[in-house]
C-alpha cells in the first residue's frame, strides 16, 4: 500500500528533514559553548537534548540565563549558522522523493521554524523552490510559533485533515501535526534520534532512500 494513499498535501519541515544541516547546527552551537568555557556537544548528546522551544535546548546544553539573556547566544548562533549555511545541501535522494510526490499530483508545502526570508532564500539557493505550492517560515529567528502557523495553514488548505501528511524530524513536528489534526511521518536522519522519535508512536523512516521505495 502506498504511504501516500489518500494524501492530497504533504507539508515538509525544512531543517533536518529536507536540509542536511545537522553538522553545522552542532558546530555552530559548540563555538558558543567553547567561547563560554562550556563543554562542547557530541552528535549523540546533541540529538538527545535538542528540543523546542529552543531556549530549553540552550539550557540543557549548559547556558545560564541568569548570566545573560537568551537572545544574546541565540543571535550569536544565527550569525554563525548562516555563515555556514552555504556549505550544506539536501539529504541524499531528497529530490527523488520530491519529484515522485509531484508526479502523483500531490501538493507540497514547507512549514518551518526558520525565519521567513532566510527560509525562502535557503530553499531557492538549492534549486527546489518550484517544487512547493507555498513556503511558510516564522517571523523571527527564535523558532517560535510553528504550531500556530500550522493551525492557520490548515484552515486555508480546504481539504480534510486526514488528507494532509506532515513530514518532520523532531517530536515538535509531531506536536505541530497533532495541533493541525493531520497525519505525521518522522525522519530519524535529522536533529533527534529514532529512540526519542519513537515516543510519538507514529511512523519513523531512517532515510529518503528508504522513503522513496514506499511512495
Amino acid at each position: 500500500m502506498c504511504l501516500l494513499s489518500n494524501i492530497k498535501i504533504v507539508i515538509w519541515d525544512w531543517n533536518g528533514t529536507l536540509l542536511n544541516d545537522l553538522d553545522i547546527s552542532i558546530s555552530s552551537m559548540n563555538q558558543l559553548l567553547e567561547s563560554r568555557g562550556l563543554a562542547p556537544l557530541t552528535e549523540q548528546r546533541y540529538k538527545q537534548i535538542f528540543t523546542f522551544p529552543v531556549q530549553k535546548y540552550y539550557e540543557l546544553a549548559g547556558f545560564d540565563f541568569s548570566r545573560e539573556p537568551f537572545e544574546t547566544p541565540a543571535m550569536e548562533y544565527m550569525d554563525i549558522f548562516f555563515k555556514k549555511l552555504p556549505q550544506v545541501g539536501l539529504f541524499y535522494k531528497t529530490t527523488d522523493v520530491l519529484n515522485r510526490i509531484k508526479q502523483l499530483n500531490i501538493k507540497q508545502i514547507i512549514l518551518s521554524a526558520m525565519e521567513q526570508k532566510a527560509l525562502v532564500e535557503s530553499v531557492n539557493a538549492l534549486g527546489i523552490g518550484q517544487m512547493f505550492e507555498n513556503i511558510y517560515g516564522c517571523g523571527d529567528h527564535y523558532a517560535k510559533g510553528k504550531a500556530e502557523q500550522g493551525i492557520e495553514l490548515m484552515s486555508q488548505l480546504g481539504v480534510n485533515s486526514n488528507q494532509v501528511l506532515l513530514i518532520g524530524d523532531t517530536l515538535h513536528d509531531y506536536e505541530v501535526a497533532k495541533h493541525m489534526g493531520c497525519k505525521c511521518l518522522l525522519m530519524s536522519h535529522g536533529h533527534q534520534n529514532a529512540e526519542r522519535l519513537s515516543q510519538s508512536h507514529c511512523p519513523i523512516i531512517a532515510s529518503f532512500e528508504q522513503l522513496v521505495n514506499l511512495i
Side-chain angles (χ1 to χ4, degrees):
M1 181 177 177
C2 177
L3 181 69
L4 299 178
S5 177
N6 197 43
I7 296 298
K8 292 188 175 180
I9 298 173
V10 170
I11 299 176
W12 292 98
D13 171 59
W14 180 237
N15 301 84
T17 300
L18 297 172
L19 183 71
N20 186 2
D21 64 345
L22 177 63
D23 288 346
I24 69 164
S25 297
I26 297 171
S27 64
S28 297
M29 176 57 74
N30 282 343
Q31 281 188 237
L32 299 187
L33 292 170
E34 290 168 356
S35 72
R36 289 161 172 80
L38 299 170
L41 300 175
T42 62
E43 180 176 321
Q44 180 181 18
R45 176 63 176 158
Y46 174 85
K47 288 194 169 192
Q48 288 172 342
I49 67 171
F50 180 77
T51 192
F52 289 88
V54 291
Q55 182 169 341
K56 178 64 176 176
Y57 154 56
Y58 277 61
E59 290 170 347
L60 291 171
F63 288 89
D64 181 355
F65 294 126
S66 68
R67 294 174 176 266
E68 62 180 335
F70 163 65
E71 289 77 12
T72 298
M75 289 309 297
E76 286 181 33
Y77 173 88
M78 297 315 300
D79 287 342
I80 297 168
F81 177 89
F82 280 111
K83 286 176 183 176
K84 296 175 182 284
L85 189 57
Q87 304 171 14
V88 304
L90 303 169
F91 282 99
Y92 180 60
K93 294 284 186 180
T94 295
T95 53
D96 290 351
V97 169
L98 296 176
N99 280 318
R100 188 77 64 90
I101 294 173
K102 186 175 183 179
Q103 290 166 5
L104 294 172
N105 293 317
I106 295 172
K107 292 180 180 179
Q108 300 183 83
I109 293 170
I110 289 179
L111 176 64
S112 172
M114 185 183 277
E115 188 273 330
Q116 176 70 23
K117 183 174 182 290
L119 173 63
V120 172
E121 289 176 353
S122 181
V123 174
N124 287 335
L126 291 169
I128 58 170
Q130 75 283 357
M131 294 286 191
F132 305 101
E133 189 84 4
N134 292 104
I135 298 173
Y136 294 98
C138 292
D140 58 40
H141 287 296
Y142 302 122
K144 298 177 182 177
K146 188 174 177 179
E148 292 78 5
Q149 182 89 317
I151 293 169
E152 181 179 347
L153 171 59
M154 182 61 74
S155 71
Q156 300 170 359
L157 293 179
V159 298
N160 193 297
S161 60
N162 64 15
Q163 296 176 309
V164 178
L165 174 66
L166 188 152
I167 303 179
D169 71 307
T170 67
L171 291 174
H172 182 58
D173 290 312
Y174 169 65
E175 292 163 0
V176 170
K178 282 202 301 182
H179 282 292
M180 296 171 66
C182 66
K183 297 179 179 179
C184 184
L185 172 71
L186 295 176
M187 305 295 302
S188 62
H189 62 199
H191 294 278
Q192 292 181 345
N193 58 33
E195 182 180 1
R196 288 185 69 191
L197 297 180
S198 67
Q199 298 172 34
S200 69
H201 303 293
C202 71
I204 300 170
I205 302 291
S207 67
F208 282 131
E209 191 171 14
Q210 180 183 352
L211 179 59
V212 75
N213 294 322
L214 298 176
I215 299 173

